[in-house]
Amino acid sequence: LDINRLIEHVLSTTTTIMSSASPPSSPLPPSDHHNNGATISSTSNENFESHLLQQKRWRRPTNNNNDNDSSFLTSKMLLRILGGMLFLWGLSSLYLGSYYHVQHQDFTTTVHKMQQNKDDFIRRGDKAKATATRTSDSTKQRTDIDNAAPSTIIHETEVFKSVIERVKRTEEQCNNVPEHHVDTLTKSLLPATDLPPLPEGGVAVALERWLNNQDNQRSSEEEATTNNDDDVYPTCYIPPPKSCDVSTYTLVIMSHTTERLEAFMDPLADMVNSWPGLNEIIIVWNSPRTTLTSVSDEKQRQYAIKLLSWDTDPNHPLRIFFSLEEGLANNLLNRYHPKIQPKNEAVFYFDDDGPFFSKEAMVDSGFEMWKRNSNVQVGAFPRNIRYLSKRMKDAGKKGLMESIDIVTNNVHGDSGATYPPFTPFCRNATGDHVEYNYFTFPDYNAHMLLPSGSILHRNYLCFIWHPAFEELRTWVVHHKTMPDDMTVSTLVSHLSGRAPRTVPQKISTFNTRRRLTEDSSEYYSDISANDAPIPNQSHRRLLWKNPNWAKWREEAINSILNYFGSIHPGTVGWCAGTKYSQDHHKHHYECKPEIPSLNMIPWLNEGVGFDHCPPNDRVTDIIKETEKQMQKIMEEDKMVSFCGECKYKNFISCTNRAKYLIEKY
C-alpha cells in the first residue's frame, strides 16, 4: 500500500509539472486548404492588410514554442531520473526482502522447535489411559494451568522425580545405619489384618514405572490422544506456595445415609448465611439417589426433601455429586476425586458428623493461613505419630527445630530456605515402626490431619487419583480402617516436600454479655455458635467399636510410611514466633492458650506470616472491635470486683465506699 501511494504521488507531481510547462490554450491555426482557397482582392487594401496581420499573429508564438520544447525535454529528463530511482529502489526492496526471508526462516524454525519442546514437556505424563473421563470443565482447568506462569506451578514429572530421589536417599541412609541403631525396639509390630503390607519404597517403583511408560509410549500415545483425547488423564501440577488473591472457597461434605442429614444440614444453613466467601457446597453422596427420594423416617424425609431442593435451587450454592452415577464405587476417597470439579482453588472439608468449627476458626484464621501456605494441607484436627527408635526421635527432633526456625525467620514470605529432610523409615534395615497417637491434637509435631476442618488446594485432587498411585488407593480401599486421612496427608506432604500447617480448633469471641465475675477461664471456652461439640473421634467413627481397631490403625500408618520410606519433620504450631509458644521439657512445644482470640493469631496481627499476603480488611476490623470489647470487659470487671469486695467484707455500701476513697485520696 505504501508503494502504491508513492507511485500515485510521483505521477500526480509529474502531471502537475507537465501541465505548468505546456503552451496556453489557443485556437488552432488555419489549415492549408483553407489558406489556398482564399481569394485576395488586389483592389481591396483593407482586406489584404487584414490578412497579413493575421499571418503575423500565427507566426508570433515561435519563440514560445521553443521554450515549451525545452521544458518538455527537462520534464523527460526528470522522469528518467525518477524512473531510475524507482528501479533502484525496487531492486533494493527485492534484495532486502530475500535477505529477511532467508534469515527469518531459520529464526522461525528455532522458535517452532522451542515451542514444540515446551509442548512436549507440558504433555509429558499426559498420555496414560485412565478410568476417569475428563469433562469439559476439567479441560478448561487444565488449559488455564498450562497457560499459567511456570514459576508458580510445578509439573507432575518434576514432582515425581523429586519423590523418587527422596526414596533413594532414605534407602541409602537406611542401608548405612550404624549397628547400634539396628533392632533396638522392644515392642514388635505384628500383622493385624490378612492384607499384605505395601512394599517398602514402593512409591518410587510405581512412579518410575509410570515415567518409563510415558517415555516408551509417547509417540503412539500422541496419535491415540489425537483420536480420543477425552480418555487421557489430565496433567497434575503442584499449586503455588501462596494464593493471596483467592477470596472464595468450596466446602465438601461426604455422606451416604439420611441418618446424618440433620447433623450437617443445620450447620450448613448457618454457614451459607454467615460465612463470607462460601460460594459452593458439594455433597458427595456415596449411595444411590433413591436413598434420598424414598425415606421412611418422617424427620429424615423432611431433611432429604430440603437437601434435594437446595440442589435444584439455582440460587443456592449447594449441589449433590452422586458418586455411583458418575461411575465411582462407595469409597472414602471420592471426596477427593477430580470429578467433583470444585470451582474454587481452596477446598474445605468436613465429615458429615462434624465437628464443624466456627467461622472465626475456619475462615478468619484457617483460610488466611491457607492463603499463605496453599501448597500444603492446612487443618485444625491434627494427629501425632510417636517414634519408638532413638534414631528416629533424634532425627525428628532436629528436623522439627529446623522447621520452626524457618517459619519464624521467614517474616516477609520471601525466604528461599530449603525445608529440612524427611526422617527415614527403615523397616527392613532396622525394624522401625511407629505408634499412632490418638489421644491428643497437638499444634506442634503433628504428622497428619483428620478431614474435618482441613483445607486443601484443588490441584491435589488430580494427584490423589492419579493412575501412578493406583496401587496405594487399592490398598487403602481393601484395608479394614480405610485410612484415607493418613493417605492424603502423607501423599500431599511428599508431593510438596513440606509438613502440614495447623490452626486453632476454636477461637474465643469474648462475648460481652457475660460478666467477668465468673471464672475468667470460661471466656476462653466461649466459642461461636457455629462450633458444634467435638464428638469423641479418638477412634474412627463406627470402626472404633471393634476391639482390634487400634491395631488396625497402627498397622495402616506403618504400611503407608513404609511405602513412602520417610516421614516429614512434623507441623509447626500456629503460635510459632509468639509469646504464646511454650517450650516444655525435652523441647516439647505447645500453644497456650488452647483457645486464642483473633488478636493472638500472628498472621493476622503483624506477626509471623502477616506480610506474606495483604491483610484482610474485614478480619482486621473484627480484631479491632474485639479489642474494644475486651477493654470494656476489663474496665467493667475492675468495678464489679471492687464493689463485690466491699459487699463481701460487710463494710459500708459500695457507693459510700467509693465516695470515701475519692474524698480521702
Side-chain angles (χ1 to χ4, degrees), residues 22 47 93 197 360 453 479 508-509 534 540:
S22 61
N47 292 339
S93 299
E360 289 78 13
H479 195 270
S508 174
T509 56
I534 298 179
R540 191 80 162 167

Side-chain angles (χ1 to χ4, degrees), residues 573-607:
W574 64 264
C575 59
T578 71
K579 62 182 179 181
Y580 309 111
S581 179
Q582 300 182 9
D583 182 7
H584 294 288
H585 64 285
K586 298 181 180 179
H587 298 286
H588 176 70
Y589 291 90
E590 61 182 359
C591 297
K592 292 292 183 179
E594 294 182 1
I595 306 177
S597 58
L598 288 178
N599 64 344
M600 298 178 182
I601 305 300
W603 57 90
L604 303 179
N605 297 275
E606 299 186 5

Side-chain angles (χ1 to χ4, degrees), residues 2-3 6-7 84-94:
D2 292 340
I3 295 174
L6 177 62
I7 294 175
M85 292 176 63
L86 290 175
F87 178 77
L88 293 176
W89 178 83
L91 290 178
S92 301
S93 299
L94 291 175

Side-chain angles (χ1 to χ4, degrees), residues 140-154:
K140 179 181 181 299
Q141 177 183 346
R142 175 184 172 188
T143 303
D144 294 341
I145 294 175
D146 286 345
N147 294 332
S151 60
T152 60
I153 58 176
I154 304 177

Side-chain angles (χ1 to χ4, degrees), residues 195-202 427 471-472 475-476 556 559-560 562-563:
L195 184 66
L198 289 164
E200 184 171 11
R427 185 182 66 180
E471 179 183 37
L472 177 62
W475 186 90
V476 170
S559 185
I560 293 173
N562 183 65
Y563 187 69

